[in-house]
Amino acid sequence: MAVDYIVIVVYLAGMLAMGWWGMRRARSKSDFLVAGRRLGPVMYSGTMAAIVLGGASTIGGVGLGYQYGLSGAWMVFTIGLGLLALSVFFSARIARLRVYTVSEMLDLRYGGRAGVISGVVMWAYTLMLAVTSTIAYATIFDVLFDMNRTLAIVLGGSIVVAYSTLGGMWSITLTDMVQFVVKTIGVLLLLLPIAVVKAGGFGEMRARLPAGYFDPLGIGGETIFTYVLIYTFGMLIGQDIWQRVFTAGGDRTAKWGGTVAGTYCLAYAVAGAVIGTAAKVLYPDLANADDAFATIVKDELPMGVRGLVLAAALAAVMSTSSGALIACATVANNDIWARLRGIVGPGGEEHDEVRGNRAFILLMGLAVIGTAIALNNVVEALTVAYNLLVGGLLVPILGGLLWKRGTVQGALASVVAGGTAVIALMVTYGILANEPVYYGLLASLAAYVVVSLATRPTDEAVLTAWRERLAGRAPETAPGSTAETAPESAPEPASGPAPAGQ
């Protein structure tokens, strides 16, 4: 596997080099956290697709195909649907808000008192999302180097922490573009056709497998509904996704670039399920379905190609890991730490913003690596993350965007009721049960509507300022933020980093 090792080492070295290059561009808070808000459509589409298609979408997507056949595509498919919905209906308005976090959006909409509680929930979500991606390094490095689990997590996590800390969102954007290209070549253009050919083609696959493997709904209606509830709606409100929307150079980039990325996700979902189905033909008795990806890559691909496809899996994990890490650090610094220290409003710029955010990425990165070493179950960690996100924050965020009568008291009650219900029901029914997110959402919605109607409407001045920000006209900053002035119609820049000094 010498050639494969060379491919992987060159890839990892390239990630670190881009982190170093990105450090030279991160001259302000806007550069460091949202890439200066000037990505063009090509780079925006690639990085958005990279952030949502992580190790769970690649290794887990193939594993679901191994278990259920073509219907195993539903998990990743619902992620693509969520990204499409976000891009078409909400992304332009979100980009015009010119904030850095979801909690800042809630403060703008409700009047400045919802940030800390929502920030804690969002921080827990982004932390667990980063942890799940970091755990996945163990699987990939075990295939590559037969490496100890803890050492694999430390190695993979350290590389992501290094380039993320150096250049922030610029480094992550550049590495994500490379990762997008590597994933496209490795998974869609190489592994997919090779797997189908090795399995004897679709005719042989149909002859060798039960008919249920080719039933689009074979995974079960309740499972599909749960995927929609967790992943489709989760895409609408996650800090890791919103922070990418904030990088868009204009309304059209946010809308159409995201639409292209969402469509790509749908194709990626089908590809993963087909690869998993082919693996079932080739290796019908694997003990763990999640081993299907690594097994087919290791046994069926020629050298060099094998290294590239494993680099694609590594790219998938790294893109999600780095995106979740910078989101976690941004929330921890801007929504929790700064507010606890009393750094709110325009006075928040008196210290070195880049240095402070860089320190938080390093701190959160160490926490993620330590937590990943302590945990074993990726699915449980990911379920906890999305249950907290959807159960605690979906209603107040979408309610703020869609319902004028929602109040700050209703938003806070919704976060507390939904989050508490989710946690209590996960303890009662089990982490992997469907009931926590179902009943947590109902509790959150009931609390939001009842408390909002029972309290005074949001001050009209707050709503007026909110509407101005949605229209892209108001220069005001969100409470606790240092968002910059937004022009009414941001120009569409060329795709990619702007020249130095722009």
Side-chain angles (χ1 to χ4, degrees):
M1 294 183 68
V3 176
D4 299 321
Y5 293 157
I6 292 172
V7 172
I8 296 295
V9 170
V10 169
Y11 167 76
L12 294 176
M15 296 300 99
L16 291 174
M18 289 186 182
W20 183 262
W21 188 90
M23 181 176 67
R24 300 168 55 198
R25 306 203 53 80
R27 301 171 180 173
S28 67
K29 179 179 180 180
S30 177
D31 285 337
F32 193 83
L33 294 183
V34 290
R37 305 187 194 273
R38 58 178 184 263
L39 295 189
V42 173
M43 185 165 280
Y44 178 85
S45 297
T47 58
M48 183 62 87
I51 180 65
V52 300
L53 295 174
S57 300
T58 303
I59 298 171
V62 172
L64 287 172
Y66 185 89
Q67 282 183 282
Y68 301 104
L70 298 185
S71 67
W74 273 106
M75 183 186 77
V76 183
F77 202 84
T78 55
I79 290 173
L81 292 179
L83 186 52
L84 285 172
L86 174 71
S87 301
V88 173
F89 298 113
F90 299 109
S91 62
R93 287 188 287 174
I94 292 171
R96 286 196 294 266
L97 289 174
R98 311 288 281 188
V99 296
Y100 292 102
T101 68
V102 174
S103 295
E104 288 179 10
M105 167 265 169
L106 292 172
D107 279 349
L108 273 172
R109 167 59 181 82
Y110 293 112
R113 290 176 289 171
V116 174
I117 294 178
S118 61
V120 170
V121 175
M122 188 63 75
W123 173 80
Y125 156 72
T126 53
L127 178 72
M128 295 306 292
L129 186 62
V131 166
T132 60
S133 299
T134 304
I135 291 173
Y137 294 127
T139 300
I140 298 171
F141 282 110
D142 178 58
V143 174
L144 283 172
F145 308 115
D146 193 23
M147 186 179 292
N148 172 269
R149 176 183 183 275
T150 298
L151 182 59
I153 289 173
V154 171
L155 176 61
S158 297
I159 293 171
V160 170
V161 171
Y163 72 70
S164 301
T165 301
L166 286 172
M169 187 60 83
W170 269 126
S171 295
I172 291 171
T173 297
L174 293 170
T175 55
D176 276 358
M177 276 305 297
V178 175
Q179 290 159 357
F180 170 74
V181 172
V182 170
K183 279 192 288 192
T184 301
I185 295 173
V187 175
L188 295 184
L189 301 184
L190 291 176
L191 183 57
L192 174 61
I194 290 173
V196 172
V197 170
K198 291 282 187 178
F202 285 102
E204 181 66 16
M205 290 163 63
R206 282 186 173 274
R208 298 272 299 275
L209 294 173
Y213 267 73
F214 301 91
D215 179 0
L217 304 179
I219 199 170
E222 184 178 355
T223 299
I224 294 171
F225 177 73
T226 302
Y227 284 160
V228 170
L229 203 59
I230 294 178
Y231 296 115
T232 301
F233 285 110
M235 288 295 106
L236 299 179
I237 58 175
Q239 169 69 23
D240 53 323
I241 309 302
W242 278 41
Q243 199 155 344
R244 295 311 174 99
V245 176
F246 299 150
T247 67
D251 291 0
R252 285 179 298 165
T253 293
K255 182 175 182 178
W256 297 112
T259 301
V260 171
T263 304
Y264 177 90
C265 291
L266 303 184
Y268 200 88
V270 175
V274 171
I275 293 168
T277 305
K280 183 67 176 179
V281 172
L282 295 168
Y283 312 100
D285 300 316
L286 290 178
N288 186 347
D290 284 342
D291 291 338
F293 179 88
T295 303
I296 196 170
V297 169
K298 190 174 183 179
D299 293 350
E300 302 297 336
L301 300 185
M303 67 178 182
V305 174
R306 180 171 50 210
L308 182 60
V309 173
L310 286 171
L314 196 57
V317 175
M318 283 187 161
S319 56
T320 300
S321 181
S322 59
L325 176 59
I326 193 172
C328 179
T330 303
V331 170
N333 189 16
N334 290 264
D335 294 336
I336 301 174
W337 177 243
R339 294 167 192 268
L340 293 177
R341 293 181 59 199
I343 304 175
V344 296
E349 288 281 8
E350 80 264 0
H351 58 291
D352 187 336
E353 292 282 6
V354 173
R355 183 181 301 173
N357 282 290
R358 185 173 281 141
F360 264 87
I361 289 182
L362 179 59
L363 180 63
M364 292 298 104
L366 294 175
V368 165
I369 292 172
T371 307
I373 292 172
L375 294 179
N376 286 314
N377 195 311
V378 177
V379 176
E380 287 191 359
L382 191 64
T383 301
V384 169
Y386 274 97
N387 280 354
L388 285 173
L389 177 70
V390 174
L393 291 178
L394 177 67
V395 170
I397 292 172
L398 293 188
L401 289 169
L402 301 173
W403 191 38
K404 176 182 176 181
R405 187 60 180 82
T407 68
V408 64
Q409 294 88 351
L412 291 172
S414 177
V415 173
V416 173
T420 302
V422 163
I423 293 171
L425 291 169
M426 282 193 293
V427 172
T428 303
Y429 288 95
I431 290 176
L432 298 180
N434 293 327
E435 286 83 359
V437 72
Y438 292 169
Y439 297 129
L441 261 179
L442 290 175
S444 180
L445 178 61
Y448 183 70
V449 172
V450 171
V451 176
S452 290
L453 292 176
T455 52
R456 293 180 58 184
T458 304
D459 188 89
E460 189 57 37
V462 172
L463 291 177
T464 299
W466 166 253
R467 286 191 290 267
E468 289 293 299
R469 286 296 286 271
L470 282 178
R473 292 190 292 266
E476 301 295 328
T477 59
S481 77
T482 53
E484 64 271 29
T485 302
E488 181 168 350
S489 180
E492 292 287 337
S495 181
Q502 177 169 329

PDB file of all heavy atoms in Angstrom, residues 387-418:
ATOM      1  N   ASN A 387     -31.196  15.674  18.263  1.00  0.00           N
ATOM      2  CA  ASN A 387     -32.377  15.767  19.131  1.00  0.00           C
ATOM      3  C   ASN A 387     -32.401  17.092  19.885  1.00  0.00           C
ATOM      4  O   ASN A 387     -33.450  17.755  19.986  1.00  0.00           O
ATOM      5  CB  ASN A 387     -32.398  14.606  20.124  1.00  0.00           C
ATOM      6  CG  ASN A 387     -32.928  13.321  19.507  1.00  0.00           C
ATOM      7  OD1 ASN A 387     -33.392  13.314  18.368  1.00  0.00           O
ATOM      8  ND2 ASN A 387     -32.854  12.235  20.244  1.00  0.00           N
ATOM      9  N   LEU A 388     -31.260  17.491  20.444  1.00  0.00           N
ATOM     10  CA  LEU A 388     -31.178  18.769  21.157  1.00  0.00           C
ATOM     11  C   LEU A 388     -31.423  19.941  20.219  1.00  0.00           C
ATOM     12  O   LEU A 388     -32.141  20.891  20.553  1.00  0.00           O
ATOM     13  CB  LEU A 388     -29.808  18.913  21.821  1.00  0.00           C
ATOM     14  CG  LEU A 388     -29.555  18.083  23.076  1.00  0.00           C
ATOM     15  CD1 LEU A 388     -28.100  18.206  23.501  1.00  0.00           C
ATOM     16  CD2 LEU A 388     -30.480  18.540  24.213  1.00  0.00           C
ATOM     17  N   LEU A 389     -30.829  19.879  19.031  1.00  0.00           N
ATOM     18  CA  LEU A 389     -30.974  20.979  18.081  1.00  0.00           C
ATOM     19  C   LEU A 389     -32.424  21.146  17.647  1.00  0.00           C
ATOM     20  O   LEU A 389     -33.003  22.237  17.759  1.00  0.00           O
ATOM     21  CB  LEU A 389     -30.092  20.718  16.861  1.00  0.00           C
ATOM     22  CG  LEU A 389     -30.203  21.753  15.737  1.00  0.00           C
ATOM     23  CD1 LEU A 389     -29.585  23.074  16.161  1.00  0.00           C
ATOM     24  CD2 LEU A 389     -29.534  21.243  14.458  1.00  0.00           C
ATOM     25  N   VAL A 390     -33.013  20.067  17.144  1.00  0.00           N
ATOM     26  CA  VAL A 390     -34.376  20.166  16.596  1.00  0.00           C
ATOM     27  C   VAL A 390     -35.394  20.368  17.715  1.00  0.00           C
ATOM     28  O   VAL A 390     -36.275  21.230  17.609  1.00  0.00           O
ATOM     29  CB  VAL A 390     -34.699  18.898  15.770  1.00  0.00           C
ATOM     30  CG1 VAL A 390     -36.151  18.919  15.315  1.00  0.00           C
ATOM     31  CG2 VAL A 390     -33.770  18.813  14.562  1.00  0.00           C
ATOM     32  N   GLY A 391     -35.277  19.591  18.800  1.00  0.00           N
ATOM     33  CA  GLY A 391     -36.242  19.720  19.887  1.00  0.00           C
ATOM     34  C   GLY A 391     -36.175  21.055  20.594  1.00  0.00           C
ATOM     35  O   GLY A 391     -37.201  21.588  21.023  1.00  0.00           O
ATOM     36  N   GLY A 392     -34.980  21.638  20.719  1.00  0.00           N
ATOM     37  CA  GLY A 392     -34.839  22.866  21.470  1.00  0.00           C
ATOM     38  C   GLY A 392     -34.918  24.153  20.669  1.00  0.00           C
ATOM     39  O   GLY A 392     -35.380  25.174  21.186  1.00  0.00           O
ATOM     40  N   LEU A 393     -34.477  24.132  19.394  1.00  0.00           N
ATOM     41  CA  LEU A 393     -34.317  25.397  18.678  1.00  0.00           C
ATOM     42  C   LEU A 393     -35.132  25.539  17.389  1.00  0.00           C
ATOM     43  O   LEU A 393     -35.259  26.650  16.874  1.00  0.00           O
ATOM     44  CB  LEU A 393     -32.838  25.620  18.348  1.00  0.00           C
ATOM     45  CG  LEU A 393     -31.923  25.915  19.547  1.00  0.00           C
ATOM     46  CD1 LEU A 393     -30.482  26.066  19.079  1.00  0.00           C
ATOM     47  CD2 LEU A 393     -32.369  27.169  20.273  1.00  0.00           C
ATOM     48  N   LEU A 394     -35.656  24.447  16.858  1.00  0.00           N
ATOM     49  CA  LEU A 394     -36.377  24.560  15.591  1.00  0.00           C
ATOM     50  C   LEU A 394     -37.548  25.529  15.682  1.00  0.00           C
ATOM     51  O   LEU A 394     -37.718  26.420  14.834  1.00  0.00           O
ATOM     52  CB  LEU A 394     -36.875  23.178  15.143  1.00  0.00           C
ATOM     53  CG  LEU A 394     -37.704  23.169  13.851  1.00  0.00           C
ATOM     54  CD1 LEU A 394     -36.844  23.554  12.668  1.00  0.00           C
ATOM     55  CD2 LEU A 394     -38.344  21.802  13.618  1.00  0.00           C
ATOM     56  N   VAL A 395     -38.378  25.379  16.695  1.00  0.00           N
ATOM     57  CA  VAL A 395     -39.600  26.196  16.807  1.00  0.00           C
ATOM     58  C   VAL A 395     -39.290  27.674  16.987  1.00  0.00           C
ATOM     59  O   VAL A 395     -39.836  28.517  16.251  1.00  0.00           O
ATOM     60  CB  VAL A 395     -40.499  25.662  17.942  1.00  0.00           C
ATOM     61  CG1 VAL A 395     -41.640  26.636  18.223  1.00  0.00           C
ATOM     62  CG2 VAL A 395     -41.054  24.288  17.576  1.00  0.00           C
ATOM     63  N   PRO A 396     -38.443  28.095  17.943  1.00  0.00           N
ATOM     64  CA  PRO A 396     -38.195  29.529  18.086  1.00  0.00           C
ATOM     65  C   PRO A 396     -37.504  30.160  16.881  1.00  0.00           C
ATOM     66  O   PRO A 396     -37.748  31.338  16.564  1.00  0.00           O
ATOM     67  CB  PRO A 396     -37.318  29.631  19.344  1.00  0.00           C
ATOM     68  CG  PRO A 396     -36.783  28.273  19.569  1.00  0.00           C
ATOM     69  CD  PRO A 396     -37.787  27.327  19.031  1.00  0.00           C
ATOM     70  N   ILE A 397     -36.658  29.395  16.171  1.00  0.00           N
ATOM     71  CA  ILE A 397     -35.988  29.963  14.997  1.00  0.00           C
ATOM     72  C   ILE A 397     -36.962  30.130  13.837  1.00  0.00           C
ATOM     73  O   ILE A 397     -37.101  31.226  13.267  1.00  0.00           O
ATOM     74  CB  ILE A 397     -34.798  29.077  14.579  1.00  0.00           C
ATOM     75  CG1 ILE A 397     -33.697  29.151  15.644  1.00  0.00           C
ATOM     76  CG2 ILE A 397     -34.244  29.530  13.233  1.00  0.00           C
ATOM     77  CD1 ILE A 397     -32.568  28.173  15.414  1.00  0.00           C
ATOM     78  N   LEU A 398     -37.664  29.050  13.457  1.00  0.00           N
ATOM     79  CA  LEU A 398     -38.622  29.170  12.356  1.00  0.00           C
ATOM     80  C   LEU A 398     -39.799  30.061  12.746  1.00  0.00           C
ATOM     81  O   LEU A 398     -40.336  30.791  11.913  1.00  0.00           O
ATOM     82  CB  LEU A 398     -39.124  27.791  11.937  1.00  0.00           C
ATOM     83  CG  LEU A 398     -38.087  26.869  11.288  1.00  0.00           C
ATOM     84  CD1 LEU A 398     -38.762  25.621  10.741  1.00  0.00           C
ATOM     85  CD2 LEU A 398     -37.334  27.584  10.176  1.00  0.00           C
ATOM     86  N   GLY A 399     -40.192  30.006  14.034  1.00  0.00           N
ATOM     87  CA  GLY A 399     -41.253  30.891  14.486  1.00  0.00           C
ATOM     88  C   GLY A 399     -40.862  32.351  14.338  1.00  0.00           C
ATOM     89  O   GLY A 399     -41.681  33.193  13.932  1.00  0.00           O
ATOM     90  N   GLY A 400     -39.604  32.671  14.659  1.00  0.00           N
ATOM     91  CA  GLY A 400     -39.142  34.048  14.507  1.00  0.00           C
ATOM     92  C   GLY A 400     -39.138  34.505  13.064  1.00  0.00           C
ATOM     93  O   GLY A 400     -39.406  35.675  12.760  1.00  0.00           O
ATOM     94  N   LEU A 401     -38.838  33.589  12.150  1.00  0.00           N
ATOM     95  CA  LEU A 401     -38.806  33.940  10.730  1.00  0.00           C
ATOM     96  C   LEU A 401     -40.199  34.026  10.107  1.00  0.00           C
ATOM     97  O   LEU A 401     -40.407  34.771   9.143  1.00  0.00           O
ATOM     98  CB  LEU A 401     -37.975  32.903   9.961  1.00  0.00           C
ATOM     99  CG  LEU A 401     -36.461  32.921  10.199  1.00  0.00           C
ATOM    100  CD1 LEU A 401     -35.817  31.680   9.591  1.00  0.00           C
ATOM    101  CD2 LEU A 401     -35.834  34.186   9.625  1.00  0.00           C
ATOM    102  N   LEU A 402     -41.159  33.281  10.669  1.00  0.00           N
ATOM    103  CA  LEU A 402     -42.453  33.138   9.995  1.00  0.00           C
ATOM    104  C   LEU A 402     -43.646  33.726  10.751  1.00  0.00           C
ATOM    105  O   LEU A 402     -44.687  33.957  10.138  1.00  0.00           O
ATOM    106  CB  LEU A 402     -42.725  31.640   9.736  1.00  0.00           C
ATOM    107  CG  LEU A 402     -41.691  30.903   8.879  1.00  0.00           C
ATOM    108  CD1 LEU A 402     -42.001  29.400   8.854  1.00  0.00           C
ATOM    109  CD2 LEU A 402     -41.656  31.466   7.472  1.00  0.00           C
ATOM    110  N   TRP A 403     -43.516  33.967  12.072  1.00  0.00           N
ATOM    111  CA  TRP A 403     -44.691  34.382  12.864  1.00  0.00           C
ATOM    112  C   TRP A 403     -44.377  35.672  13.611  1.00  0.00           C
ATOM    113  O   TRP A 403     -43.569  35.687  14.534  1.00  0.00           O
ATOM    114  CB  TRP A 403     -45.069  33.269  13.854  1.00  0.00           C
ATOM    115  CG  TRP A 403     -46.394  33.473  14.522  1.00  0.00           C
ATOM    116  CD1 TRP A 403     -47.535  33.976  13.969  1.00  0.00           C
ATOM    117  CD2 TRP A 403     -46.712  33.177  15.891  1.00  0.00           C
ATOM    118  NE1 TRP A 403     -48.556  34.002  14.893  1.00  0.00           N
ATOM    119  CE2 TRP A 403     -48.081  33.513  16.081  1.00  0.00           C
ATOM    120  CE3 TRP A 403     -46.000  32.649  16.953  1.00  0.00           C
ATOM    121  CZ2 TRP A 403     -48.730  33.350  17.301  1.00  0.00           C
ATOM    122  CZ3 TRP A 403     -46.644  32.473  18.173  1.00  0.00           C
ATOM    123  CH2 TRP A 403     -47.997  32.825  18.340  1.00  0.00           C
ATOM    124  N   LYS A 404     -45.051  36.733  13.241  1.00  0.00           N
ATOM    125  CA  LYS A 404     -44.799  38.041  13.842  1.00  0.00           C
ATOM    126  C   LYS A 404     -45.140  38.070  15.329  1.00  0.00           C
ATOM    127  O   LYS A 404     -44.516  38.792  16.111  1.00  0.00           O
ATOM    128  CB  LYS A 404     -45.616  39.096  13.094  1.00  0.00           C
ATOM    129  CG  LYS A 404     -45.520  40.498  13.674  1.00  0.00           C
ATOM    130  CD  LYS A 404     -46.396  41.472  12.901  1.00  0.00           C
ATOM    131  CE  LYS A 404     -46.381  42.856  13.547  1.00  0.00           C
ATOM    132  NZ  LYS A 404     -47.242  43.812  12.814  1.00  0.00           N
ATOM    133  N   ARG A 405     -46.117  37.270  15.769  1.00  0.00           N
ATOM    134  CA  ARG A 405     -46.619  37.358  17.139  1.00  0.00           C
ATOM    135  C   ARG A 405     -45.700  36.669  18.156  1.00  0.00           C
ATOM    136  O   ARG A 405     -45.876  36.823  19.359  1.00  0.00           O
ATOM    137  CB  ARG A 405     -48.018  36.726  17.194  1.00  0.00           C
ATOM    138  CG  ARG A 405     -48.735  36.892  18.527  1.00  0.00           C
ATOM    139  CD  ARG A 405     -48.951  38.359  18.896  1.00  0.00           C
ATOM    140  NE  ARG A 405     -49.643  38.498  20.176  1.00  0.00           N
ATOM    141  CZ  ARG A 405     -49.048  38.425  21.366  1.00  0.00           C
ATOM    142  NH1 ARG A 405     -47.746  38.202  21.448  1.00  0.00           N
ATOM    143  NH2 ARG A 405     -49.764  38.578  22.467  1.00  0.00           N
ATOM    144  N   GLY A 406     -44.708  35.919  17.707  1.00  0.00           N
ATOM    145  CA  GLY A 406     -43.799  35.268  18.629  1.00  0.00           C
ATOM    146  C   GLY A 406     -43.037  36.269  19.480  1.00  0.00           C
ATOM    147  O   GLY A 406     -42.594  37.313  18.990  1.00  0.00           O
ATOM    148  N   THR A 407     -42.868  35.979  20.763  1.00  0.00           N
ATOM    149  CA  THR A 407     -42.212  36.893  21.691  1.00  0.00           C
ATOM    150  C   THR A 407     -40.967  36.254  22.292  1.00  0.00           C
ATOM    151  O   THR A 407     -40.770  35.041  22.194  1.00  0.00           O
ATOM    152  CB  THR A 407     -43.164  37.293  22.835  1.00  0.00           C
ATOM    153  OG1 THR A 407     -43.412  36.134  23.651  1.00  0.00           O
ATOM    154  CG2 THR A 407     -44.466  37.842  22.299  1.00  0.00           C
ATOM    155  N   VAL A 408     -40.147  37.080  22.938  1.00  0.00           N
ATOM    156  CA  VAL A 408     -38.933  36.560  23.552  1.00  0.00           C
ATOM    157  C   VAL A 408     -39.267  35.584  24.675  1.00  0.00           C
ATOM    158  O   VAL A 408     -38.579  34.568  24.865  1.00  0.00           O
ATOM    159  CB  VAL A 408     -38.049  37.721  24.066  1.00  0.00           C
ATOM    160  CG1 VAL A 408     -38.734  38.503  25.189  1.00  0.00           C
ATOM    161  CG2 VAL A 408     -36.700  37.188  24.537  1.00  0.00           C
ATOM    162  N   GLN A 409     -40.341  35.858  25.425  1.00  0.00           N
ATOM    163  CA  GLN A 409     -40.747  34.928  26.483  1.00  0.00           C
ATOM    164  C   GLN A 409     -41.165  33.584  25.892  1.00  0.00           C
ATOM    165  O   GLN A 409     -40.845  32.522  26.419  1.00  0.00           O
ATOM    166  CB  GLN A 409     -41.893  35.520  27.307  1.00  0.00           C
ATOM    167  CG  GLN A 409     -41.523  36.750  28.118  1.00  0.00           C
ATOM    168  CD  GLN A 409     -41.689  38.047  27.327  1.00  0.00           C
ATOM    169  OE1 GLN A 409     -41.924  38.019  26.112  1.00  0.00           O
ATOM    170  NE2 GLN A 409     -41.582  39.179  28.011  1.00  0.00           N
ATOM    171  N   GLY A 410     -41.886  33.646  24.766  1.00  0.00           N
ATOM    172  CA  GLY A 410     -42.286  32.414  24.093  1.00  0.00           C
ATOM    173  C   GLY A 410     -41.082  31.647  23.566  1.00  0.00           C
ATOM    174  O   GLY A 410     -41.029  30.410  23.653  1.00  0.00           O
ATOM    175  N   ALA A 411     -40.089  32.372  23.029  1.00  0.00           N
ATOM    176  CA  ALA A 411     -38.887  31.726  22.503  1.00  0.00           C
ATOM    177  C   ALA A 411     -38.111  31.028  23.616  1.00  0.00           C
ATOM    178  O   ALA A 411     -37.680  29.879  23.472  1.00  0.00           O
ATOM    179  CB  ALA A 411     -38.009  32.755  21.801  1.00  0.00           C
ATOM    180  N   LEU A 412     -37.922  31.719  24.735  1.00  0.00           N
ATOM    181  CA  LEU A 412     -37.199  31.125  25.858  1.00  0.00           C
ATOM    182  C   LEU A 412     -37.944  29.916  26.427  1.00  0.00           C
ATOM    183  O   LEU A 412     -37.338  28.881  26.733  1.00  0.00           O
ATOM    184  CB  LEU A 412     -36.978  32.167  26.947  1.00  0.00           C
ATOM    185  CG  LEU A 412     -35.990  33.294  26.604  1.00  0.00           C
ATOM    186  CD1 LEU A 412     -35.999  34.367  27.682  1.00  0.00           C
ATOM    187  CD2 LEU A 412     -34.585  32.728  26.420  1.00  0.00           C
ATOM    188  N   ALA A 413     -39.264  30.052  26.566  1.00  0.00           N
ATOM    189  CA  ALA A 413     -40.059  28.922  27.061  1.00  0.00           C
ATOM    190  C   ALA A 413     -39.965  27.740  26.112  1.00  0.00           C
ATOM    191  O   ALA A 413     -39.901  26.577  26.539  1.00  0.00           O
ATOM    192  CB  ALA A 413     -41.518  29.355  27.231  1.00  0.00           C
ATOM    193  N   SER A 414     -39.941  28.017  24.824  1.00  0.00           N
ATOM    194  CA  SER A 414     -39.848  26.962  23.820  1.00  0.00           C
ATOM    195  C   SER A 414     -38.525  26.217  23.911  1.00  0.00           C
ATOM    196  O   SER A 414     -38.486  24.980  23.865  1.00  0.00           O
ATOM    197  CB  SER A 414     -40.003  27.577  22.421  1.00  0.00           C
ATOM    198  OG  SER A 414     -39.863  26.602  21.423  1.00  0.00           O
ATOM    199  N   VAL A 415     -37.424  26.965  24.053  1.00  0.00           N
ATOM    200  CA  VAL A 415     -36.104  26.331  24.165  1.00  0.00           C
ATOM    201  C   VAL A 415     -36.035  25.453  25.409  1.00  0.00           C
ATOM    202  O   VAL A 415     -35.592  24.297  25.361  1.00  0.00           O
ATOM    203  CB  VAL A 415     -34.994  27.401  24.206  1.00  0.00           C
ATOM    204  CG1 VAL A 415     -33.645  26.745  24.501  1.00  0.00           C
ATOM    205  CG2 VAL A 415     -34.930  28.164  22.892  1.00  0.00           C
ATOM    206  N   VAL A 416     -36.502  25.994  26.543  1.00  0.00           N
ATOM    207  CA  VAL A 416     -36.432  25.255  27.807  1.00  0.00           C
ATOM    208  C   VAL A 416     -37.338  24.031  27.763  1.00  0.00           C
ATOM    209  O   VAL A 416     -36.929  22.914  28.141  1.00  0.00           O
ATOM    210  CB  VAL A 416     -36.804  26.170  28.985  1.00  0.00           C
ATOM    211  CG1 VAL A 416     -36.906  25.362  30.274  1.00  0.00           C
ATOM    212  CG2 VAL A 416     -35.769  27.278  29.143  1.00  0.00           C
ATOM    213  N   ALA A 417     -38.585  24.204  27.313  1.00  0.00           N
ATOM    214  CA  ALA A 417     -39.534  23.085  27.295  1.00  0.00           C
ATOM    215  C   ALA A 417     -39.077  21.984  26.341  1.00  0.00           C
ATOM    216  O   ALA A 417     -39.088  20.789  26.685  1.00  0.00           O
ATOM    217  CB  ALA A 417     -40.926  23.585  26.902  1.00  0.00           C
ATOM    218  N   GLY A 418     -38.684  22.381  25.138  1.00  0.00           N
ATOM    219  CA  GLY A 418     -38.252  21.390  24.159  1.00  0.00           C
ATOM    220  C   GLY A 418     -36.980  20.676  24.573  1.00  0.00           C
ATOM    221  O   GLY A 418     -36.884  19.450  24.500  1.00  0.00           O
TER     222      GLY A 418
END
